[in-house]
Amino acid sequence: MSTADNNKRTELGALGEFGIIDRIAENFKTHKQASTALGIGDDAALIDCGDFYQVISTDMLVEGIHFDLSYMPLQHLGFKSVSVNISDIAAMNAIPKQITVNVALSNRFSVEAVDAIYDGIQKACDTFGVDLVGGDTTSSPGGLMISITAIGTAEKDTVVKRSGASSGDIICATGDLGAAYIGLQVLMREKAEFKANPNMQPKLEQYDYVVGRQLRPMARMDVIHELGKLGVVPTAMMDISDGLASELMHISKQSNVGVNVFEDKLPIHQITYENAVEFQLDPVIAAMNGGEDYELLFCIKQDDYEKIKNLPDVHTIGYIQDLEKGRNLVSKQGNVYPLKAQGFTHM
Ligand code: ADP
Ligand code: MG
């Protein structure tokens, strides 16, 4: 790359995940293809196919970084790796159609293990109505990696980017937040306890909900279909993979607007509350800065509020305001806290 200086070494951690992506994007300014309608920077890329857009997104899951096989069943891993990609297609208000799957396997894994992963991939393909149309299989020196590309289609007049929000829009979040992060804490504690005492019987029943949210996230295509039926096109949308605060920052930056969200409006499941308290974790921090909920964050025009207000799984959490008014979380007591770009970064 033209900016590389052979004598200089900058640690990856100095830039972080988003900094690295920005740097890559800045160094690739040229667009050679007229059909490249939207490139790096949204949940998925858009390719102009004349009457419609083709929507493409890719995500990689790496053992030891994104999952730990001591608590992640292989079927669930297969399902999750598809679901997180479908979630990015949903975030464009698009319909997923095909996936390709790349796997890197070491000789630690058996044929049966590969069958189990693909069993989960098959379940996800059935759930989301997509076809597996290709991929690549290679060896790895140790860990397991799965990289999936999802391909979908979007109508040109209903595709939704991160950049379309404007002052006065209502901010909505689907489902509930923070559970996947609390589920991860449960699983990590169980792993540590099992290491200390391999004879122990794990007692996970009271954590079924949060553990399920961590192991088996469900992309919210159901909400996309509901919005479609109601004729509601969000002004901006993305999926919540890195925690609500980080995603609000993305919408704010890319739409050039401020945000105001209310702590008492955050959708947090009662069980998440109870489990978080037991782990001495703050459920609001789990919702704002945890990760992997794979819910949708979107903005709508005020005029559309009547249409969505009865959807049980869509919650209004705040509103878009002018950029000068800032990006704020308003606490239950009415205190205003500026949002921090504290993403869920693996680096
Ligand atoms: P998401 O969390 O929605 O999957 P990411 O934060 O992973 O999105 O990526 C943000 C944007 O940066 C996306 O448009 C993605 O395609 C792009 N991107 C991420 N990594 C790279 C890379 N190594 N090279 C080019 N583009 C990248
Ligand atoms: Mg995304």
Side-chain angles (χ1 to χ4, degrees), residues 7 23 32 55 60 84 93-94 114 143 187 202 234-235 239 275 303 327:
N7 297 318
R23 188 180 167 91
K32 298 178 185 70
V55 185
M60 179 156 53
V84 303
N93 204 24
V114 177
L187 290 166
T235 55
D239 69 332
N275 293 164
D303 290 350
R327 304 158 171 144

PDB file of all heavy atoms in Angstrom, residues 7 23 32 55 60 84 93-94 114 143 187 202 234-235 239 275 303 327:
ATOM      1  N   ASN A   7      10.244   1.236   7.412  1.00  0.00           N
ATOM      2  CA  ASN A   7      10.940   1.297   8.693  1.00  0.00           C
ATOM      3  C   ASN A   7       9.994   1.521   9.867  1.00  0.00           C
ATOM      4  O   ASN A   7      10.422   1.524  11.001  1.00  0.00           O
ATOM      5  CB  ASN A   7      11.970   2.433   8.674  1.00  0.00           C
ATOM      6  CG  ASN A   7      13.024   2.150   7.627  1.00  0.00           C
ATOM      7  OD1 ASN A   7      13.471   1.014   7.498  1.00  0.00           O
ATOM      8  ND2 ASN A   7      13.380   3.166   6.864  1.00  0.00           N
ATOM      9  N   ARG A  23      -8.720   2.947   7.476  1.00  0.00           N
ATOM     10  CA  ARG A  23      -7.448   3.101   6.764  1.00  0.00           C
ATOM     11  C   ARG A  23      -7.482   2.357   5.431  1.00  0.00           C
ATOM     12  O   ARG A  23      -7.052   2.879   4.397  1.00  0.00           O
ATOM     13  CB  ARG A  23      -6.332   2.560   7.660  1.00  0.00           C
ATOM     14  CG  ARG A  23      -4.933   2.806   7.169  1.00  0.00           C
ATOM     15  CD  ARG A  23      -3.970   2.201   8.189  1.00  0.00           C
ATOM     16  NE  ARG A  23      -2.629   2.115   7.672  1.00  0.00           N
ATOM     17  CZ  ARG A  23      -1.722   3.069   7.814  1.00  0.00           C
ATOM     18  NH1 ARG A  23      -2.036   4.181   8.438  1.00  0.00           N
ATOM     19  NH2 ARG A  23      -0.521   2.909   7.306  1.00  0.00           N
ATOM     20  N   LYS A  32     -13.639   1.716 -10.000  1.00  0.00           N
ATOM     21  CA  LYS A  32     -13.527   1.472 -11.442  1.00  0.00           C
ATOM     22  C   LYS A  32     -14.828   1.023 -12.065  1.00  0.00           C
ATOM     23  O   LYS A  32     -15.037   1.154 -13.255  1.00  0.00           O
ATOM     24  CB  LYS A  32     -12.443   0.424 -11.692  1.00  0.00           C
ATOM     25  CG  LYS A  32     -11.064   0.887 -11.224  1.00  0.00           C
ATOM     26  CD  LYS A  32     -10.012  -0.185 -11.439  1.00  0.00           C
ATOM     27  CE  LYS A  32      -8.674   0.245 -10.864  1.00  0.00           C
ATOM     28  NZ  LYS A  32      -8.660   0.286  -9.390  1.00  0.00           N
ATOM     29  N   VAL A  55     -26.864  -7.477  -2.904  1.00  0.00           N
ATOM     30  CA  VAL A  55     -26.365  -7.069  -1.591  1.00  0.00           C
ATOM     31  C   VAL A  55     -25.385  -8.133  -1.122  1.00  0.00           C
ATOM     32  O   VAL A  55     -25.718  -9.328  -1.135  1.00  0.00           O
ATOM     33  CB  VAL A  55     -27.556  -6.962  -0.606  1.00  0.00           C
ATOM     34  CG1 VAL A  55     -27.100  -6.429   0.746  1.00  0.00           C
ATOM     35  CG2 VAL A  55     -28.644  -6.060  -1.179  1.00  0.00           C
ATOM     36  N   MET A  60     -16.211 -13.268   9.297  1.00  0.00           N
ATOM     37  CA  MET A  60     -15.343 -14.404   9.618  1.00  0.00           C
ATOM     38  C   MET A  60     -15.413 -14.674  11.114  1.00  0.00           C
ATOM     39  O   MET A  60     -15.373 -13.754  11.928  1.00  0.00           O
ATOM     40  CB  MET A  60     -13.915 -14.036   9.210  1.00  0.00           C
ATOM     41  CG  MET A  60     -12.896 -15.099   9.500  1.00  0.00           C
ATOM     42  SD  MET A  60     -11.447 -14.957   8.425  1.00  0.00           S
ATOM     43  CE  MET A  60     -10.977 -13.264   8.652  1.00  0.00           C
ATOM     44  N   VAL A  84     -25.276 -14.558  11.525  1.00  0.00           N
ATOM     45  CA  VAL A  84     -24.656 -13.234  11.669  1.00  0.00           C
ATOM     46  C   VAL A  84     -24.465 -12.553  10.308  1.00  0.00           C
ATOM     47  O   VAL A  84     -24.480 -11.325  10.220  1.00  0.00           O
ATOM     48  CB  VAL A  84     -23.307 -13.283  12.445  1.00  0.00           C
ATOM     49  CG1 VAL A  84     -23.507 -13.899  13.815  1.00  0.00           C
ATOM     50  CG2 VAL A  84     -22.212 -14.008  11.689  1.00  0.00           C
ATOM     51  N   ASN A  93     -32.306  -3.873   4.675  1.00  0.00           N
ATOM     52  CA  ASN A  93     -33.695  -4.069   4.244  1.00  0.00           C
ATOM     53  C   ASN A  93     -33.731  -4.918   2.965  1.00  0.00           C
ATOM     54  O   ASN A  93     -34.507  -4.652   2.045  1.00  0.00           O
ATOM     55  CB  ASN A  93     -34.383  -2.728   4.010  1.00  0.00           C
ATOM     56  CG  ASN A  93     -35.895  -2.822   4.147  1.00  0.00           C
ATOM     57  OD1 ASN A  93     -36.403  -3.721   4.815  1.00  0.00           O
ATOM     58  ND2 ASN A  93     -36.610  -1.909   3.509  1.00  0.00           N
ATOM     59  N   ALA A  94     -32.893  -5.935   2.955  1.00  0.00           N
ATOM     60  CA  ALA A  94     -32.740  -6.793   1.776  1.00  0.00           C
ATOM     61  C   ALA A  94     -33.155  -8.224   2.118  1.00  0.00           C
ATOM     62  O   ALA A  94     -33.342  -8.564   3.287  1.00  0.00           O
ATOM     63  CB  ALA A  94     -31.282  -6.764   1.318  1.00  0.00           C
ATOM     64  N   VAL A 114     -17.124 -31.961  11.004  1.00  0.00           N
ATOM     65  CA  VAL A 114     -17.508 -31.171   9.821  1.00  0.00           C
ATOM     66  C   VAL A 114     -19.002 -31.371   9.545  1.00  0.00           C
ATOM     67  O   VAL A 114     -19.728 -30.412   9.260  1.00  0.00           O
ATOM     68  CB  VAL A 114     -16.655 -31.570   8.593  1.00  0.00           C
ATOM     69  CG1 VAL A 114     -17.108 -30.798   7.362  1.00  0.00           C
ATOM     70  CG2 VAL A 114     -15.176 -31.332   8.878  1.00  0.00           C
ATOM     71  N   GLY A 143      -6.407 -23.876  14.770  1.00  0.00           N
ATOM     72  CA  GLY A 143      -7.790 -23.492  15.061  1.00  0.00           C
ATOM     73  C   GLY A 143      -8.724 -23.669  13.882  1.00  0.00           C
ATOM     74  O   GLY A 143      -8.320 -23.974  12.756  1.00  0.00           O
ATOM     75  N   LEU A 187     -21.066 -18.617  30.272  1.00  0.00           N
ATOM     76  CA  LEU A 187     -20.311 -19.723  29.674  1.00  0.00           C
ATOM     77  C   LEU A 187     -18.842 -19.686  30.096  1.00  0.00           C
ATOM     78  O   LEU A 187     -18.232 -20.733  30.359  1.00  0.00           O
ATOM     79  CB  LEU A 187     -20.424 -19.659  28.143  1.00  0.00           C
ATOM     80  CG  LEU A 187     -21.824 -19.997  27.602  1.00  0.00           C
ATOM     81  CD1 LEU A 187     -21.947 -19.587  26.143  1.00  0.00           C
ATOM     82  CD2 LEU A 187     -22.105 -21.492  27.761  1.00  0.00           C
ATOM     83  N   PRO A 202     -22.593 -28.918  35.540  1.00  0.00           N
ATOM     84  CA  PRO A 202     -23.004 -27.536  35.281  1.00  0.00           C
ATOM     85  C   PRO A 202     -24.497 -27.349  35.528  1.00  0.00           C
ATOM     86  O   PRO A 202     -25.300 -28.203  35.158  1.00  0.00           O
ATOM     87  CB  PRO A 202     -22.662 -27.319  33.807  1.00  0.00           C
ATOM     88  CG  PRO A 202     -22.507 -28.677  33.236  1.00  0.00           C
ATOM     89  CD  PRO A 202     -22.165 -29.617  34.339  1.00  0.00           C
ATOM     90  N   PRO A 234     -37.353   2.147   6.856  1.00  0.00           N
ATOM     91  CA  PRO A 234     -36.536   2.944   7.778  1.00  0.00           C
ATOM     92  C   PRO A 234     -35.681   3.952   7.022  1.00  0.00           C
ATOM     93  O   PRO A 234     -35.358   3.756   5.839  1.00  0.00           O
ATOM     94  CB  PRO A 234     -35.663   1.891   8.468  1.00  0.00           C
ATOM     95  CG  PRO A 234     -36.442   0.613   8.355  1.00  0.00           C
ATOM     96  CD  PRO A 234     -37.126   0.701   7.016  1.00  0.00           C
ATOM     97  N   THR A 235     -35.325   5.032   7.719  1.00  0.00           N
ATOM     98  CA  THR A 235     -34.466   6.039   7.088  1.00  0.00           C
ATOM     99  C   THR A 235     -32.996   5.619   7.182  1.00  0.00           C
ATOM    100  O   THR A 235     -32.177   5.976   6.341  1.00  0.00           O
ATOM    101  CB  THR A 235     -34.643   7.406   7.773  1.00  0.00           C
ATOM    102  OG1 THR A 235     -34.391   7.262   9.180  1.00  0.00           O
ATOM    103  CG2 THR A 235     -36.060   7.920   7.574  1.00  0.00           C
ATOM    104  N   ASP A 239     -27.341  -3.589  11.930  1.00  0.00           N
ATOM    105  CA  ASP A 239     -27.607  -4.595  12.945  1.00  0.00           C
ATOM    106  C   ASP A 239     -26.733  -4.313  14.163  1.00  0.00           C
ATOM    107  O   ASP A 239     -25.730  -3.601  14.082  1.00  0.00           O
ATOM    108  CB  ASP A 239     -27.454  -6.025  12.412  1.00  0.00           C
ATOM    109  CG  ASP A 239     -26.035  -6.401  12.099  1.00  0.00           C
ATOM    110  OD1 ASP A 239     -25.221  -5.507  11.775  1.00  0.00           O
ATOM    111  OD2 ASP A 239     -25.710  -7.595  12.187  1.00  0.00           O
ATOM    112  N   ASN A 275     -29.792 -12.180  35.726  1.00  0.00           N
ATOM    113  CA  ASN A 275     -28.501 -12.851  35.571  1.00  0.00           C
ATOM    114  C   ASN A 275     -27.350 -11.850  35.682  1.00  0.00           C
ATOM    115  O   ASN A 275     -26.314 -12.140  36.268  1.00  0.00           O
ATOM    116  CB  ASN A 275     -28.415 -13.589  34.224  1.00  0.00           C
ATOM    117  CG  ASN A 275     -29.372 -14.763  34.108  1.00  0.00           C
ATOM    118  OD1 ASN A 275     -29.616 -15.250  33.010  1.00  0.00           O
ATOM    119  ND2 ASN A 275     -29.949 -15.210  35.208  1.00  0.00           N
ATOM    120  N   ASP A 303     -43.961  10.121  11.044  1.00  0.00           N
ATOM    121  CA  ASP A 303     -45.242   9.757  10.429  1.00  0.00           C
ATOM    122  C   ASP A 303     -45.476   8.251  10.414  1.00  0.00           C
ATOM    123  O   ASP A 303     -46.615   7.800  10.286  1.00  0.00           O
ATOM    124  CB  ASP A 303     -45.293  10.261   8.969  1.00  0.00           C
ATOM    125  CG  ASP A 303     -45.389  11.767   8.913  1.00  0.00           C
ATOM    126  OD1 ASP A 303     -45.609  12.380   9.982  1.00  0.00           O
ATOM    127  OD2 ASP A 303     -45.224  12.336   7.811  1.00  0.00           O
ATOM    128  N   ARG A 327     -24.512  13.228  21.120  1.00  0.00           N
ATOM    129  CA  ARG A 327     -24.940  11.822  21.101  1.00  0.00           C
ATOM    130  C   ARG A 327     -25.051  11.420  22.552  1.00  0.00           C
ATOM    131  O   ARG A 327     -24.033  11.256  23.232  1.00  0.00           O
ATOM    132  CB  ARG A 327     -23.867  10.966  20.436  1.00  0.00           C
ATOM    133  CG  ARG A 327     -23.500  11.429  19.042  1.00  0.00           C
ATOM    134  CD  ARG A 327     -22.120  10.921  18.664  1.00  0.00           C
ATOM    135  NE  ARG A 327     -21.869  11.195  17.268  1.00  0.00           N
ATOM    136  CZ  ARG A 327     -20.679  11.532  16.794  1.00  0.00           C
ATOM    137  NH1 ARG A 327     -19.631  11.637  17.603  1.00  0.00           N
ATOM    138  NH2 ARG A 327     -20.527  11.759  15.507  1.00  0.00           N
TER     139      ARG A 327
END
